Amino acid sequence: MGRKFLVALGGAALALSLAACSGGGAGSGGDTSSDKPSDLTIGVSMPTQTSERWIADGNAVKSKLEAKGYKVDLQYAGDDIPTQSQQVDQMITQGADVLVIAAIDGTALNSQLQAAAAAKIPVISYDRLIRGSKDVDFYVSFDNYKVGVAQGTALLVGLGLLNKDGSKGTAKGPLNVELFAGSLDDNNTQYFFNGAMDTLKPFVEDGTLIVKSKQTTPEQVATLRWQQETAQKRMENLLTSAYNDGSKVDGVLSPYDGISRGIITALQNAGYGKGAKKLPVVTGQDAEIASIKLINDGVQNSTVFKDTRLLAEQAVNAAEAFLQKKQPQANDTETYNNGVKVVPSYLLPIATVYKDDIKATLIDSGYWTAEEVAAGQAKK
Ligand code: GAL
């Protein structure tokens, strides 16, 4: 109500507040603290619908905000950077009062952020930190370095080099492993990879683990846009180039369930999982239902569960705080430097899920039902 402003110029570098009138609003630089929720709109920009977690994130943020009476403009960008820029531009011109953004490319939204700042629209970076801009007001995510540590640890546990309690396992090397990382334009990728590599490093250094392909740098192991097919192709190439001498892959570090499924498909197509040729230990992240079934069936080793319901809740809390002209509550004000400033953050805990944990962590908490796990498909 009562707020109108226009963002001029294709790049949206300049926002002009034209007709801020009675009701006021963050979008027009006014005070929203006395506005009714139904007068306030939150723009929610999500990267893609190809991964079910972002669908769940989008739905959770939307429904929690709507339950409080706010209007929500939820958009998915199909993993296309210009589409996301356009959608965010549009949210700004249409008078959003707060923006919640999970960026495809952490550095590609700078002009949108400048426009948002000019219009005094607070920006909450959702799970993926927006980099290189001072106009990011808050960050909600998980402890991303710990996600990487959990993935590295799960690989070691799966290989029998460690026990779940952290003590030394009974397996002896050398064992062959291959490494995968996420999309290099996603700020999280470096945290996941560094956490995992710090954990695996002593075992690589003493020769217990061998990366037979010798591909170990982030550039060599990255997976653009986290795509399953890209990961499948790379695993196929690794098998034909580094394992054509009869040797076997024993473990694969994977940063995300979609990538894990691509890796597993490549391995199965090459005869792994049949007879004596055991599938390697493959890690994951996000507790996607298709992967939970694979874990339950003993095909994928593990995943890292990040409860998107809690993340959505933190995004909603932060949005509400901004609308009431308060600072959201941060629990980390040191870790997430986006290149220009340290962005105050709320970081949530994570949990490793092996087969034995599916019931307690995912089913009992209502994240997935037993039927969904058995089917490998979400019901909704
Ligand atoms: C990351 C996120 C992961 C995973 C990945 C691929 O930014 O932290 O949980 O979802 O994107 O979508």
Side-chain angles (χ1 to χ4, degrees), residues 247-318:
S247 56
K248 261 192 79 232
V249 194
D250 299 299
V252 185
L253 174 75
S254 166
Y256 155 63
D257 286 345
I259 291 178
S260 314
R261 294 196 296 278
I263 293 166
I264 289 169
T265 304
L267 289 160
Q268 287 173 330
N269 289 346
Y272 281 84
K274 290 187 201 115
K277 205 170 172 186
K278 265 186 23 195
L279 267 170
V281 175
V282 181
T283 61
Q285 174 173 209
D286 281 355
E288 293 201 332
I289 193 62
S291 285
I292 296 305
K293 177 171 167 47
L294 292 179
I295 294 169
N296 205 31
D297 294 346
V299 176
Q300 185 174 321
N301 166 266
S302 56
T303 189
V304 176
F305 173 51
K306 306 194 305 191
D307 195 332
T308 50
R309 299 168 298 189
L310 301 182
L311 185 60
E313 203 171 291
Q314 287 308 323
V316 169
N317 289 347

Side-chain angles (χ1 to χ4, degrees), residues 175-213:
L175 296 164
N176 294 326
V177 294
E178 293 299 334
L179 311 170
F180 281 71
S183 199
L184 290 180
D185 50 12
D186 181 338
N187 189 57
N188 289 344
T189 292
Q190 53 174 322
Y191 286 90
F192 301 153
F193 194 62
N194 291 343
M197 292 315 286
D198 288 350
T199 310
L200 298 177
K201 208 167 161 206
F203 295 83
V204 174
E205 281 176 356
D206 73 6
T208 308
L209 295 180
I210 295 172
V211 184
K212 198 145 181 284
S213 69

